[in-house]
């Protein structure tokens, strides 16, 4: 029977193990394996990054890793033996920055993906979706994945698509939304409505809202639109998690969790529909509030998320340092101003979404409480302010081993490269973004200049400076297919024959794999149980249809996962249809 599309799960206690003749072998207590995978190529991700031939599992625990002859004594009449036929096995893959619930909900909305972003081209697509939707005059209609780079529109422009019913058009950067006039009325936003901290409400010359909202202002809009029922969100999320499993993902961190997302994760856990190890990053709405009361609320929210150390936990908070860099938004905080299309400096440098001094105090308190701080920082000033806060926390508290993280890192000043290693700050890259495409060229390159553009997504520079790199997809901004991330990480291009983006910033394939395995597990504080294939760890692993360590790197993204094991060998089938 084919093992394509197989995810394996199981529950059992851990077993003692010893090392024999330099290779892992099972102790007497684990003398009978439930499953043995042999005749393969096992990338262990252990300290030596050793490659083995076979692996044995009992319950949910790895009891032996070595050559075929080392696991042979563990095979008994009830052992299921799988001949890998030389196939490559990796540890279960870990996505350290993803939005599964948001992405699942967006997938149920009217899709604008691939549609040219003009009002005239969007109109027939949206109207077709509206014709299939039977909402009332006061019921919001939402469309998602609008290619917002360079797109600009007012509420009156959107009225040209639909005027009687409130409409929200969500940009594919995850930070921008456009509404029509009816939507503005229902939102209750006026000229007197202030910009929320860390957000921008676009306005006309009189100060009245003109119809677009960015960053935390977009979150404000989202909170005003009624959300689907909890059960519907749980069903949509469950379906998406199964698709993620088909790509070998066994653990993830939801990088934006409010009480609404926390409720979905708890529902999935309570109903036994959580085929994934999940960590929740609690959203910090006011990163300049360093009061004891604010800290206490965050600690309480984190503790409420500590449901199960293996499958659902928290211990992480999420902060926005700035916005996005692409024109026309340019809300990412830069150390020097953006330039205009003629190469001249402008008066725009973006803004930090927190007061640096107060934020540093907040980080000190969260660090002292044992929480991991995960920061969205796009611009080099956002990155520097984040590093400054971590430096202040370390000076005040010492090294608390909280494994703080900065995500995205679209632009980092070279002076800050060594600080990541010095401060133990993890560099969370969305490695698939590091290529030439519309998002990194037209709305970005002309407005940075060649000197800064050379350091866009500087994974190679940070790797060379000794930083620990971890990998997240930021889905549904981009694909959660890890193999696309691996390919881009080593080629800095989107495919064969394409011109690379800053080829000097490529990283070795092993570094990219480690970013999704042992380093990612370390970031999520689960490296003692997952992230590598070693005796005593949980049996999270994936079997691939090709050896990505030796093939043409420009074909890595074509890799298929033949089997995904999560917590042992009990099978759970999923459909491979609807892959992204």
């Amino acid at each position: 029977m084919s093992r394509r599309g197989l995810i394996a799960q199981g529950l059992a206690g851990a077993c003692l193990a010893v090392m024999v003749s330099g290779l892992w072998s099972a102790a007497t207590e684990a003398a009978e394996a439930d499953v043995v995978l042999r005749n393969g190529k096992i990338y262990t991700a252990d300290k030596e990054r050793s490659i083995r031939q076979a692996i044995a599992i009992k319950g949910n625990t790895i009891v032996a890793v070595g050559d075929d002859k080392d696991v042979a004594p563990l095979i008994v009449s009830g052992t299921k033996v799988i001949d890998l036929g030389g196939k490559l096995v990796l540890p279960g893959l870990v996505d350290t920055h993803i939005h599964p619930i948001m992405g699942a909900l967006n997938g149920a909305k009217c899709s604008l993906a691939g549609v040219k972003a003009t009002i005239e081209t969007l109109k027939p697509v949206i109207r077709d979706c509206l014709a299939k939707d039977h909402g009332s005059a006061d019921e919001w209609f939402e469309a998602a994945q609008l290619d917002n780079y360079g797109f600009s529109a007012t509420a009156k422009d959107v009225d040209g698509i639909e005027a009687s019913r409130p409409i929200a058009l969500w940009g594919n950067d995850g930070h921008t939304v456009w509404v029509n006039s009816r939507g503005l009325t229902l939102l209750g936003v006026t000229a007197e409505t202030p910009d929320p901290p860390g957000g921008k409400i676009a306005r006309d010359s009189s100060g009245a809202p003109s119809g677009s909202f960015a960053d935390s202002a977009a979150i404000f809009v989202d909170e005003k639109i009624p959300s689907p029922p909890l059960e519907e969100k749980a069903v949509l999320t469950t379906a998406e998690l199964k698709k993620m499993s088909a790509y070998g993902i066994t653990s993830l961190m939801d990088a934006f969790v409010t009480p609404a997302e926390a409720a979905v994760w708890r529902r999935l856990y309570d109903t036994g529909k959580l085929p994934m190890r999940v960590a929740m990053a609690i959203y910090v709405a006011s990163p300049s509030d360093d009061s004891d009361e604010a800290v206490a609320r965050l600690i309480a929210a984190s503790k409420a998320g500590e449901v199960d150390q293996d499958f659902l936990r928290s211990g992480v908070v999420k902060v926005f340092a700035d916005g996005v860099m692409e024109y026309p938004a340019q809300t990412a905080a830069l150390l020097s101003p953006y330039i205009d299309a003629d190469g001249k400096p402008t008066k725009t440098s973006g803004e930090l979404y927190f007061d640096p001094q107060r934020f540093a105090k907040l980080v000190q308190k969260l660090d002292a409480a044992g929480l991991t701080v995960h920061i969205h920082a796009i611009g080099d000033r956002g990155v520097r302010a984040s590093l400054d806060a971590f430096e202040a926390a370390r000076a005040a508290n010492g090294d608390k081993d909280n494994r703080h993280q900065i995500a995205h890192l679209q632009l980092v000043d070279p002076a800050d490269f060594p600080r990541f290693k010095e401060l133990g700050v993890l560099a969370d890259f969305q490695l698939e973004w590091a290529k030439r495409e519309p998002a990194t060229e037209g709305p970005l390159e002309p407005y940075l200049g060649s000197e800064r553009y050379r350091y866009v997504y500087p994974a190679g520079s940070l790797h060379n400076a000794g930083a620990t790199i971890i990998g997240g997809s930021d889905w549904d901004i981009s694909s959660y297919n890890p193999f696309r991330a691996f390919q881009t990480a080593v080629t800095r291009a989107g495919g064969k024959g394409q011109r690379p983006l800053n080829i000097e910033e490529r990283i070795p394939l092993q570094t990219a794999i480690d970013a999704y395995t042992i380093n990612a597990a370390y970031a999520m504080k689960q490296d003692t149980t997952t992230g590598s294939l070693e005796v005593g760890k949980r049996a999270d692993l994936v079997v691939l249809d090709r050896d990505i360590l030796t093939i043409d790197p420009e074909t890595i993204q074509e890799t298929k996962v033949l089997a995904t094991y999560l917590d042992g060998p009990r099978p759970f089938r999923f459909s491979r249809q609807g892959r992204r």
Side-chain angles (χ1 to χ4, degrees):
M1 179 177 63
S2 171
R3 298 194 60 80
R4 182 178 297 271
L6 178 68
I7 183 172
Q9 298 178 340
L11 297 172
C15 302
L16 298 176
V18 296
M19 183 176 276
V20 177
S21 302
L23 296 177
W24 287 112
S25 181
T28 303
E29 291 84 349
E32 298 180 358
D34 295 327
V35 173
V36 167
L37 293 86
R38 64 184 182 184
N39 188 27
K41 185 175 182 179
I42 316 294
Y43 180 82
T44 64
D46 62 10
K47 290 182 179 179
E48 292 75 29
R49 302 303 189 264
S50 58
I51 304 249
R52 302 303 189 195
Q53 189 179 27
I55 187 167
I57 302 167
K58 185 175 180 64
N60 66 350
T61 304
I62 297 170
V63 294
V65 183
D67 293 334
D68 286 351
K69 61 182 177 56
D70 299 302
V71 302
L74 307 183
I75 299 173
V76 295
S77 60
T79 303
K80 184 170 186 177
V81 180
I82 298 171
D83 187 337
L84 292 169
K87 295 291 191 298
L88 179 66
V89 175
L90 300 180
L93 302 175
V94 182
D95 192 315
T96 58
H97 187 110
I98 189 170
H99 305 283
I101 298 170
M102 291 182 184
L105 294 181
N106 281 339
K109 297 173 183 176
C110 179
S111 176
L112 303 179
V115 181
K116 186 178 180 180
T118 68
I119 291 296
E120 289 307 310
T121 53
L122 293 172
K123 184 184 297 184
V125 177
I126 294 172
R127 286 186 171 177
D128 183 60
C129 289
L130 279 165
K132 300 172 185 175
D133 188 276
H134 304 290
S136 66
D138 289 335
E139 186 175 343
W140 281 89
F141 175 85
E142 298 178 86
Q145 293 297 327
L146 182 144
D147 184 6
N148 57 277
Y149 300 120
F151 177 74
S152 180
T154 66
K156 291 183 179 179
D157 293 329
V158 183
D159 289 346
I161 299 175
E162 169 63 29
S164 61
R165 185 175 171 186
I167 284 186
L169 309 180
W170 294 95
N172 62 5
D173 65 353
H175 288 254
T176 317
V177 61
W178 290 262
V179 302
N180 61 359
S181 299
R182 179 63 177 155
L184 282 177
T185 299
L186 290 185
L187 290 172
V189 178
T190 67
E192 288 69 40
T193 304
D195 289 348
K200 291 288 185 183
I201 300 173
R203 303 174 190 275
D204 62 21
S205 58
S206 70
S210 60
S212 67
F213 300 76
D215 300 316
S216 67
I219 296 173
F220 161 80
V221 174
D222 183 59
E223 291 174 342
K224 290 286 187 178
I225 299 177
S227 181
L230 175 60
E231 191 57 38
E232 180 180 344
K233 290 190 285 189
V235 169
L236 291 171
T237 303
T238 299
E240 204 64 53
L241 291 175
K242 291 179 181 179
K243 296 175 186 176
M244 292 177 194
S245 297
Y247 284 102
I249 299 172
T250 56
S251 297
L252 62 83
M253 187 180 79
D254 186 334
F256 186 94
V257 174
T258 69
E261 285 78 30
V264 176
W265 289 123
R266 186 57 189 259
R267 173 62 65 90
L268 295 181
Y269 177 84
D270 288 342
T271 57
K273 297 178 180 178
L274 190 61
M276 198 78 62
R277 303 185 194 275
V278 174
M280 298 183 290
I282 306 302
Y283 169 56
V284 180
S286 302
S288 293
D289 186 353
D290 62 336
S291 66
D292 290 342
E293 293 78 9
V295 173
R297 287 193 296 271
L298 289 170
I299 293 173
S302 177
K303 288 183 177 179
E306 295 294 341
V307 178
D308 181 327
Q309 284 300 308
D310 278 335
F311 281 94
L312 184 59
R313 54 194 175 79
S314 184
V316 185
V317 297
K318 163 69 176 293
V319 179
F320 286 92
D322 60 2
V324 294
M325 195 180 299
E326 289 75 20
Y327 180 86
Q330 296 184 332
T331 53
L334 300 187
L335 291 169
S336 57
Y338 294 91
I339 60 176
D340 63 21
D342 296 321
K344 297 178 180 179
T346 68
K347 296 181 180 179
T348 301
S349 298
E351 296 180 10
L352 290 174
Y353 287 168
F354 49 63
D355 174 86
Q357 287 73 37
R358 295 195 67 183
F359 177 64
K361 292 180 181 178
L362 174 64
V363 172
Q364 289 176 39
K365 292 180 179 181
L366 295 172
D367 179 68
L371 296 181
T372 297
V373 180
H374 182 95
I375 304 179
H376 161 118
I378 292 285
D380 50 9
R381 183 156 58 105
V383 173
R384 179 165 295 176
S386 301
L387 290 169
D388 289 346
F390 291 139
E391 185 173 26
R394 179 166 286 209
N397 304 327
D399 183 1
K400 301 285 288 184
D401 191 31
N402 286 322
R403 310 177 191 186
H404 302 305
Q405 305 151 23
I406 303 178
H408 308 321
L409 301 167
Q410 193 167 6
L411 187 65
V412 182
D413 189 271
D416 290 321
F417 292 158
R419 298 181 71 194
F420 283 79
K421 180 180 179 181
E422 293 165 3
L423 299 172
V425 176
L426 307 180
D428 192 333
F429 276 102
Q430 285 54 64
L431 295 168
E432 192 199 341
W433 296 356
K435 61 189 176 187
R436 287 190 171 274
E437 60 178 346
T440 55
E441 294 186 320
L444 188 64
E445 188 172 10
Y447 304 98
L448 289 182
S450 59
E451 185 175 345
R452 284 187 295 192
Y453 191 73
R454 179 257 176 270
Y455 288 109
V456 167
Y457 300 121
S461 291
L462 282 172
H463 171 66
N464 293 336
T468 298
I469 293 177
I470 59 177
S473 64
D474 203 19
W475 185 79
D476 65 334
I477 305 302
S478 54
S479 169
Y480 48 62
N481 179 351
F483 305 100
R484 290 177 62 172
F486 294 166
Q487 177 169 320
T488 308
V490 300
T491 65
R492 301 287 293 196
K496 285 189 175 184
Q498 295 189 13
R499 187 161 64 106
L501 171 69
N502 302 337
I503 191 62
E504 303 88 350
E505 297 301 336
R506 62 186 170 189
I507 58 176
L509 179 57
Q510 177 180 297
T511 301
I513 294 172
D514 289 351
Y516 270 83
T517 54
I518 188 60
N519 290 352
Y522 174 82
M524 290 177 58
K525 294 185 178 180
Q526 62 182 51
D527 52 307
T528 59
T529 55
T530 71
S532 62
L533 301 177
E534 301 179 77
V535 167
K537 287 196 172 185
R538 301 301 174 84
D540 290 6
L541 55 94
V542 297
V543 182
L544 308 185
D545 72 339
R546 68 199 68 196
D547 183 357
I548 64 173
L549 300 174
T550 60
I551 62 173
D552 179 353
E554 292 188 329
T555 65
I556 292 175
Q557 67 179 2
E558 300 169 10
T559 301
K560 301 295 188 296
V561 172
L562 302 181
T564 300
Y565 287 79
L566 172 68
D567 211 50
R570 185 174 302 168
F572 175 81
R573 297 189 180 280
F574 58 83
S575 170
R576 292 180 63 86
Q577 295 179 353
R579 286 180 52 166
R580 295 171 184 265

